[in-house]
Amino acid sequence: MTSETELIPEPRGVVAGSGEVRLTARSQLYAGDGTEGVGNWLRTVLQQATGLPLREGRELDDACDDGIGLQLDPALGPEEYRLVSDLNGILIEGGSPAGVFWGAQTLRQLLGPDAYRRAPLDRDRTWAVPHLTIHDSPRFHWRGLMLDVARHFMPKEGVLRYLDLMAAHKLNVFHFHLTDDQGWRVEIERYPKLTEIGSWRARTKFGHRASPLWDDKPHGGYYTRDDIREIVAYAAERHITVVPEIDVPGHSQAAIAAYPELGNTDVIATNSLSVWDTWGINPNVLAPTDNTLRFYEGVFEELLELFPSEFIHVGGDECLKDQWKQSPTAQARIKELGLADEDELQSWFIGHFDKWLSARGRRLVGWDEILEGGLAEGAVVSSWRGYEGGITAARAGHDVVMCPEQHVYLDWRQAPGEDEPVPIAHVRTLEDVYRFEPVPEQLSEAEARHVLGAQANVWTEVMEDHARVDYQTFPRLAAFAEVAWSALPAPAERDFAEFERRMAAHYPRLDALGVAYRPPTGPLPWQRRPGVLGRPKDGPPPNA
């Protein structure tokens, strides 16, 4: 096989032929009914990279010999596609526009790394696709990437870039972590202080929270409503669903700094709080009052206007209960509702928004702490503290997204070397990610059907710019994408050497896309952060 046919993620079936299809100045691109959007995208990226006109074909026959045809085939599954390159040209068929789009992504890989460039390097070069047949479909419906833009803000252009990188790897869910103690990143018209005050902090801890270093430059930014509409539309063109996260009732100091009445005012002077400038688990959580519920209903009302996703993430993780234990208001609410303790109070809080979202045709997603005190009916669990939460939820009939930190937290360090920048937690290598299995063997076949899929999470406390995000995310995201898409054998039986061989062909694609990935040989000099304290942990992580 040539380097162009070293595909990632690995397709289910490839049958090689003999010969090739050459794209030329007379090649046309035909997009059948329902595939026009994919056709526009494919024509745009290929015209940029090749300089070929790829004129619009009016019927499939126009794409014969040296052209590209796109069409739907209702016999295929929704994201399934078939790509045939032979004497008749190149034909991509999908069970839906999404299937055709994933086939178009495969075609781009087949054309070679320069197909990812935004201008042609050589207008006289030959663009060829080998004769072959590829039949492919994803293992999981939910193939996600979570990006934390609250700890370090990523401007809109960077988010759009990551949507392109996701699409190139056939990932289809973008979990947009928009709020936390360190910043509020989405404009809410009825509550302007959330961005006027909550979107920036006076300084930032550089490195782990134990680090003595500070960046004294103010840090901030947020997305306007039009920015969000643009991001959502850009994602939809790439068949990516954007799932927003507004974190409640913990991780909320930025909101409390903007609107102090949201905090536990009977315990602390919330009007003295500012947007948090360091990392860790924050004790300042939302007060369980009707005022807080009405406030966040207002936030979610505007959010639902901006995000059409069926799923809305409400966080629910790492909510310290100390203030609730000390708060007469919280204790009175526990008594009023007949609850046993503060865990059940959080369950009531999450349950309120589960019902509120369900009444509006949406589904609540939360981190696995929402299991504590009783899981809200209809809620989806993001299982991050290992597999246990996901197993418990699936056995109770709840849908699950598997994202255990021991396998797919991409802020964790990639190697044991001292040159790894700001090393966090245990070592998780490219091979470790490749051997991640989203479906725990403890689940029965029926229970396993509740696993919607898997997600890799990028927390950005120690990632101050897009180059650091790139370094932590790639190449491991390529391994994750294959886990989420491809029909791989059991983890111990996976051929990592063969994956590495295909990665050797994939690195030039990442180079063409301008991705500042971690090289297989270790960090480049400018990727290191000497003297910046991290929090490395020795040995393998606990497999909870």
Side-chain angles (χ1 to χ4, degrees):
M1 298 177 75
T2 66
S3 62
E4 286 75 16
T5 53
E6 305 289 0
L7 302 172
I8 288 180
E10 184 177 33
R12 288 180 181 261
V14 180
V15 178
S18 58
E20 63 184 17
V21 175
R22 293 192 176 189
L23 299 181
T24 69
R26 67 185 185 88
S27 297
Q28 297 188 29
L29 192 158
Y30 166 78
D33 292 344
T35 72
E36 295 89 351
V38 180
N40 289 336
W41 174 85
L42 184 60
R43 180 178 292 106
T44 298
V45 296
L46 293 188
Q47 283 177 336
Q48 287 178 342
T50 68
L52 298 175
L54 290 175
R55 291 183 298 276
E56 183 177 349
R58 298 187 179 277
E59 55 186 44
L60 187 57
D61 286 347
D62 292 341
C64 279
D65 301 333
D66 63 354
I68 302 168
L70 310 175
Q71 66 181 19
L72 299 179
D73 180 350
L76 298 175
E79 291 189 278
E80 187 176 3
Y81 73 88
R82 181 171 51 245
L83 187 157
V84 179
S85 169
D86 59 17
L87 294 173
N88 295 314
I90 300 165
L91 177 62
I92 301 173
E93 297 175 293
S96 72
V100 176
F101 182 72
W102 304 131
Q105 292 289 354
T106 297
L107 173 61
R108 202 178 183 192
Q109 288 197 22
L110 292 170
L111 284 165
D114 288 343
Y116 291 87
R117 299 193 179 275
R118 297 188 185 181
L121 302 184
D122 179 1
R123 291 185 179 272
D124 295 325
R125 69 166 287 175
T126 298
W127 294 93
V129 175
H131 285 175
L132 46 61
T133 298
I134 296 176
H135 193 179
D136 200 10
S137 62
R139 180 184 179 192
F140 292 109
H141 173 65
W142 187 300
R143 307 180 302 280
L145 173 68
M146 189 226 70
L147 183 62
D148 167 19
V149 297
R151 271 50 177 268
H152 278 100
F153 179 65
M154 180 177 285
K156 179 191 69 178
E157 291 75 12
V159 174
L160 299 179
R161 174 176 174 265
Y162 258 82
L163 291 170
D164 280 329
L165 292 173
M166 287 179 64
H169 293 83
K170 298 185 173 71
L171 299 174
N172 69 339
V173 178
F174 179 57
H175 176 168
F176 207 6
H177 185 81
L178 288 164
T179 73
D180 219 295
D181 299 301
Q182 295 85 1
W184 185 284
R185 306 294 180 213
V186 56
E187 178 186 27
I188 303 296
E189 283 187 334
R190 73 188 73 185
Y191 304 128
K193 291 180 183 177
L194 287 173
T195 45
E196 290 172 3
I197 295 173
S199 71
W200 70 276
R201 56 183 182 261
R203 63 176 188 169
T204 298
K205 174 66 70 173
F206 191 26
H208 181 253
R209 61 179 175 272
S211 167
L213 303 177
W214 293 90
D215 181 350
D216 289 319
K217 180 177 66 177
H219 178 88
Y222 66 91
Y223 309 102
T224 68
R225 289 166 60 88
D226 283 345
D227 290 339
I228 294 293
R229 291 186 183 99
E230 181 182 355
I231 289 167
V232 169
Y234 195 85
E237 289 175 351
R238 286 146 185 80
H239 300 275
I240 295 171
T241 299
V242 183
V243 175
E245 180 182 355
I246 301 293
D247 220 330
V248 296
H251 288 289
S252 297
Q253 183 162 320
I256 297 169
Y259 292 91
E261 65 271 20
L262 296 174
N264 294 285
T265 57
D266 54 353
V267 177
I268 64 162
T270 56
N271 57 5
S272 67
L273 294 177
S274 57
V275 177
W276 212 24
D277 56 13
T278 188
W279 321 121
I281 302 177
N282 190 306
N284 297 304
V285 303
L286 298 175
T289 64
D290 289 344
N291 174 66
T292 300
L293 297 180
R294 299 293 88 77
F295 182 96
Y296 275 88
E297 285 171 3
V299 169
F300 283 118
E301 279 179 10
E302 292 197 23
L303 210 70
L304 298 191
E305 294 173 12
L306 297 171
F307 294 94
S309 167
E310 174 188 1
F311 301 95
I312 304 293
H313 209 293
V314 301
D317 63 314
E318 298 179 329
C319 178
L320 296 179
K321 311 296 196 303
D322 296 348
Q323 290 183 358
W324 287 357
K325 290 175 181 177
Q326 300 169 35
S327 165
T329 301
Q331 293 302 311
R333 174 126 284 186
I334 289 173
K335 185 176 180 181
E336 169 200 339
L337 296 169
L339 304 176
D341 54 22
E342 290 77 19
D343 283 344
E344 287 195 6
L345 183 61
Q346 178 172 344
S347 179
W348 165 82
F349 194 104
I350 298 296
H352 173 85
F353 287 103
D354 179 58
K355 296 183 182 71
W356 189 91
L357 289 167
S358 295
R360 288 154 182 80
R362 307 299 184 95
R363 296 182 69 186
L364 178 144
V365 190
W367 302 110
D368 55 48
E369 284 94 333
I370 67 173
L371 290 161
E372 298 165 5
L375 185 57
E377 184 181 356
V380 178
V381 171
S382 298
S383 187
W384 75 274
R385 295 178 299 178
Y387 288 105
E388 184 179 353
I391 292 169
T392 300
R395 285 177 172 167
H398 289 269
D399 289 338
V400 176
V401 176
M402 284 295 185
C403 49
E405 59 179 341
Q406 300 91 337
H407 298 277
V408 289
Y409 266 37
L410 301 186
D411 54 318
W412 287 27
R413 59 189 175 134
Q414 303 183 65
E418 293 184 3
D419 287 337
E420 287 302 311
V422 199
I424 296 297
H426 299 273
V427 172
R428 293 286 85 185
T429 66
L430 182 66
E431 181 173 0
D432 290 328
V433 175
Y434 189 65
R435 296 194 189 281
F436 164 53
E437 173 48 50
V439 179
E441 59 184 11
Q442 298 96 316
L443 295 181
S444 69
E445 186 177 341
E447 292 164 346
R449 284 196 285 270
H450 285 290
V451 179
L452 300 179
Q455 181 171 290
N457 294 337
V458 181
W459 300 103
T460 63
E461 287 94 335
V462 298
M463 302 180 210
E464 71 278 9
D465 55 35
H466 88 269
R468 280 286 291 122
V469 174
D470 279 7
Y471 179 92
Q472 292 298 135
T473 304
F474 288 96
R476 292 183 294 182
L477 191 68
F480 170 80
E482 182 147 312
V483 168
W485 177 277
S486 305
L488 298 177
E493 299 167 11
R494 293 176 190 172
D495 189 345
F496 179 68
E498 194 275 339
F499 174 76
E500 279 191 305
R501 183 176 59 77
R502 285 184 286 117
M503 276 302 300
H506 196 63
Y507 287 118
R509 299 176 192 136
L510 298 179
D511 289 331
L513 286 163
V515 178
Y517 58 84
R518 181 190 187 275
T521 53
L524 299 166
W526 55 88
Q527 293 175 320
R528 300 166 189 161
R529 296 292 184 274
V532 181
L533 188 67
R535 187 197 57 177
K537 295 182 179 181
D538 295 328
N543 194 20

